[in-house]
Amino acid sequence: MEDLKNFSKSQGAAEADDLNHWDLSFWSERLRESKYDINEEELRPYFSLPKVMDGLFNLAKILFGIEIEPADGLAP
C-alpha cells in the first residue's frame, strides 16, 4: 500500500494520500507497468479462457489425480 501511495504521489495524483478502493487497481496497474515495462493487454493473448481452463484442469489432474471432463449438457 505504501508503494502505491508513494508511486501515485510521484505521479502527481491528488488522491495519493487517501487512496480509495476504486483507485487501487488503476494505480497497481500503472505501478506494474512502470516496474516491469509490461502491459496487461499484452498478456491477454497468452491467457485466453480456453488456455487457462486447460491449464487448470491439467493441474487438477497432476496434483489430485482427478480428470475433469465436459458435461456437454448432461448436468444442470
Side-chain angles (χ1 to χ4, degrees), residues 31-58:
L31 180 61
R32 185 180 10 233
E33 287 172 357
S34 73
K35 275 188 171 181
Y36 305 113
D37 193 31
I38 194 160
N39 186 326
E40 193 172 299
E41 290 301 317
E42 293 172 351
L43 294 176
R44 191 173 297 275
Y46 300 105
F47 294 102
S48 64
L49 183 60
K51 287 182 180 179
V52 170
M53 295 301 287
D54 287 343
L56 175 69
F57 295 151
N58 189 36

Side-chain angles (χ1 to χ4, degrees), residues 10-70:
S10 73
Q11 299 296 312
E15 70 274 6
D17 290 324
D18 187 30
L19 291 175
N20 292 307
H21 67 276
W22 53 82
D23 297 323
L24 297 181
S25 62
F26 175 80
W27 286 113
S28 295
E29 182 63 22
R30 299 294 84 77
L31 180 61
R32 185 180 10 233
E33 287 172 357
S34 73
K35 275 188 171 181
Y36 305 113
D37 193 31
I38 194 160
N39 186 326
E40 193 172 299
E41 290 301 317
E42 293 172 351
L43 294 176
R44 191 173 297 275
Y46 300 105
F47 294 102
S48 64
L49 183 60
K51 287 182 180 179
V52 170
M53 295 301 287
D54 287 343
L56 175 69
F57 295 151
N58 189 36
L59 186 62
K61 184 176 181 181
I62 292 169
L63 292 177
F64 304 112
I66 58 172
E67 191 163 334
I68 302 169
E69 299 177 2

